[in-house]
Amino acid sequence: MISFPIGTHRFHLRAAAVLVRDSAVLLHRAEGYTFWALPGGRVEPGEAAADAVTREMKEELAVEVTPTQLTWVVENFFQHEGEAHHEVGLYFLAEPSKDSLLVNEPGPYVGLEKHCRLEFAWFSPNELASIDVRPSFLKQLLQGQDFSLRHVVHRNE
């Protein structure tokens, strides 16, 4: 188990979008990384998590989405680039606007986060089996299209 002595890890609040189109889910990854994740990002101080989802999708892919339902509350403990992290994630089902490229174009799509290129793509439940999805517990929930409200504590060892 990952041990977190006080003051030695990074803590952050993340909000993510769960977008589904014809049973496929939208994932993204940063250039140079091999793993995929649900799009989203850090919630800013004073910002509602659902608003963060809308803001992050607009910043990263220039698309409008509307969060519709909180589906998962996740306590995620993991190591990244040699640093221990404790992340609380709020995952929202979301709908793109009707004129969005997410509705009208098949993808993949290119986005930008600060100076980092992002790749966005749709994955069917079958395709999810062959890719690295993080946090890893998401793969099973996304393959099973299980969007019931749940609390998850995930420790990536």
Side-chain angles (χ1 to χ4, degrees):
M1 176 161 53
I2 297 173
S3 167
F4 291 100
I6 293 174
T8 64
H9 61 283
R10 295 183 53 147
F11 177 82
H12 43 101
L13 177 61
R14 181 173 194 273
V18 181
L19 291 136
V20 179
R21 182 177 81 182
D22 299 326
S23 298
V25 64
L26 184 72
L27 299 177
H28 82 309
R29 67 178 173 186
E31 187 172 49
Y33 285 91
T34 58
F35 68 88
W36 294 86
L38 288 168
R42 190 176 308 252
V43 178
E44 300 295 334
E47 180 180 42
D51 293 341
V53 168
T54 301
R55 176 183 52 76
E56 288 286 342
M57 292 300 296
K58 193 172 206 174
E59 288 176 359
E60 294 177 357
L61 196 56
V63 297
E64 295 282 341
V65 303
T66 302
T68 59
Q69 172 190 327
L70 178 64
T71 186
W72 307 310
V73 177
V74 179
E75 295 178 71
N76 188 20
F77 300 88
F78 62 98
Q79 295 277 341
H80 181 69
E81 296 180 346
E83 259 191 316
H85 291 259
H86 176 189
E87 171 184 272
V88 173
L90 302 173
Y91 293 77
F92 292 86
L93 289 174
E95 295 290 333
S97 63
K98 292 188 185 337
D99 62 346
S100 172
L101 64 96
L102 298 176
V103 173
N104 298 305
E105 296 179 25
Y109 320 101
V110 175
L112 193 63
E113 180 179 32
K114 295 182 183 163
H115 301 292
C116 181
R117 185 176 179 272
L118 300 173
E119 177 183 4
F120 291 78
W122 295 101
F123 292 90
S124 71
N126 289 338
E127 292 170 319
L128 289 169
S130 63
I131 63 170
D132 182 5
V133 178
R134 296 194 190 164
S136 59
F137 78 90
L138 283 173
K139 188 180 285 195
Q140 181 179 357
L141 293 177
L142 293 170
Q143 284 177 306
Q145 304 280 296
D146 183 355
F147 304 120
S148 59
L149 180 60
R150 65 178 62 217
H151 172 228
V152 176
V153 177
H154 178 260
R155 294 183 186 275
N156 189 14
E157 313 225 15

